Amino acid sequence: MNKEDLLLYAVTDRYWLNGDTLLNQVEQAIKGGATFVQLREKNMSHDEFLAEAKEIKALCAKYKVPFVINDEVDIAIEIDADGVHVGQSDMNAMDVRALIGPDKILGVSAQTVEQAKLAKENGADYLGVGAVFPTGSKDDADDVSHEELKKICDAVDIPVIAIGGITADNVIELSGSGICGIAVISAIFGQKDIENATLYLKKQTIKMLEGK
């Protein structure tokens, strides 16, 4: 994984399918410039999740975009995904690293400097920090101030991405925080034209990182 891969990290959500397929929506996001994909499913059987994960893994491989699974470490191992992302209430990062091995990507959610440091010590390759803005996508999202986000970025030497309520309109407010990219759900998958929405969001994110 390169730090640059984390520029625009797309987290899937079936909520906005409206008759479309998740596979097609992910492809539109990648065509628009998404640089990383996380498959996130909360209400799906193991077999359904496994079949979907295999499809999206193949799609991401075609476009050379890193692909990780949210929480479901067993499925990530079974399909040989590029890695896995876990939250604070999920399996301990050290245990996940032991299961997936040293060469897979491990992302960990963090809301405090202490959590960030521990995640790094336990083998995390990158951190997802948020929610940095109010969000409706995660019921359990804890608010993280922009000041705390900067403290986290300063405290660890692994890449940090911001998540939670980020849109093309407010992403510029994260300039100077030290993040290397953003993770979004509705700002991509909740848009009518996913490809063009992703393209515009990526341009705004690059502006934010450049401090413009």
Side-chain angles (χ1 to χ4, degrees), residues 103-124:
D103 300 324
K104 294 295 184 181
I105 299 168
L106 175 56
V108 178
S109 298
Q111 284 80 38
T112 66
V113 168
E114 291 73 22
Q115 289 176 357
K117 287 181 175 178
L118 184 60
K120 194 260 180 182
E121 288 171 12
N122 286 344

Side-chain angles (χ1 to χ4, degrees), residues 92-146:
N92 179 279
M94 185 182 292
D95 295 333
V96 177
R97 175 56 77 197
L99 287 170
I100 65 175
D103 300 324
K104 294 295 184 181
I105 299 168
L106 175 56
V108 178
S109 298
Q111 284 80 38
T112 66
V113 168
E114 291 73 22
Q115 289 176 357
K117 287 181 175 178
L118 184 60
K120 194 260 180 182
E121 288 171 12
N122 286 344
D125 292 305
Y126 73 89
L127 301 174
V129 176
V132 294
F133 295 106
T135 175
S137 297
K138 291 194 73 176
D139 299 331
D140 59 347
D142 294 315
D143 290 339
V144 175
S145 70
H146 295 182

Side-chain angles (χ1 to χ4, degrees), residues 2-211:
N2 296 315
K3 186 178 176 180
E4 291 73 25
D5 292 334
L6 293 165
L7 175 69
L8 184 51
Y9 183 122
V11 181
T12 68
D13 195 320
R14 305 182 68 79
Y15 181 78
W16 296 281
L17 286 185
N18 297 317
D20 199 355
T21 65
L22 191 63
L23 186 71
N24 183 58
Q25 290 195 343
V26 171
E27 184 162 30
Q28 295 312 304
I30 293 172
K31 284 181 175 178
T35 57
F36 203 108
V37 172
Q38 179 193 125
L39 179 61
R40 184 172 181 260
E41 293 287 3
K42 293 296 183 183
N43 302 297
M44 187 176 268
S45 74
H46 178 89
D47 289 347
E48 288 175 320
F49 195 161
L50 189 65
E52 182 181 74
K54 286 177 179 176
E55 275 192 336
I56 296 179
K57 178 198 169 188
L59 175 72
C60 291
K62 173 185 169 185
Y63 286 97
K64 295 181 172 57
V65 170
F67 171 66
V68 300
I69 304 280
N70 183 65
D71 294 353
E72 303 290 340
V73 179
D74 57 337
I75 287 180
I77 292 170
E78 191 169 346
I79 69 158
D80 194 29
D82 294 319
V84 67
H85 186 97
V86 293
Q88 288 295 315
S89 61
D90 302 315
M91 189 185 295
N92 179 279
M94 185 182 292
D95 295 333
V96 177
R97 175 56 77 197
L99 287 170
I100 65 175
D103 300 324
K104 294 295 184 181
I105 299 168
L106 175 56
V108 178
S109 298
Q111 284 80 38
T112 66
V113 168
E114 291 73 22
Q115 289 176 357
K117 287 181 175 178
L118 184 60
K120 194 260 180 182
E121 288 171 12
N122 286 344
D125 292 305
Y126 73 89
L127 301 174
V129 176
V132 294
F133 295 106
T135 175
S137 297
K138 291 194 73 176
D139 299 331
D140 59 347
D142 294 315
D143 290 339
V144 175
S145 70
H146 295 182
E147 182 184 9
E148 185 71 10
L149 175 63
K150 189 174 189 310
K151 285 180 182 177
I152 290 171
C153 291
D154 290 341
V156 294
D157 59 0
I158 56 174
V160 174
I161 54 174
I163 189 169
I166 301 170
T167 68
D169 295 327
N170 65 20
V171 67
I172 204 72
E173 295 176 37
L174 299 172
S175 184
S177 61
I179 59 173
C180 66
I182 61 168
V184 296
I185 303 174
S186 60
I188 288 179
F189 295 107
Q191 308 306 306
K192 287 184 178 178
D193 185 339
I194 289 174
E195 185 173 343
N196 279 315
T198 307
L199 183 66
Y200 180 61
L201 179 60
K202 188 174 186 178
K203 286 180 180 176
Q204 293 297 95
T205 303
I206 291 169
K207 279 185 183 178
M208 177 272 293
L209 292 175
E210 290 173 345

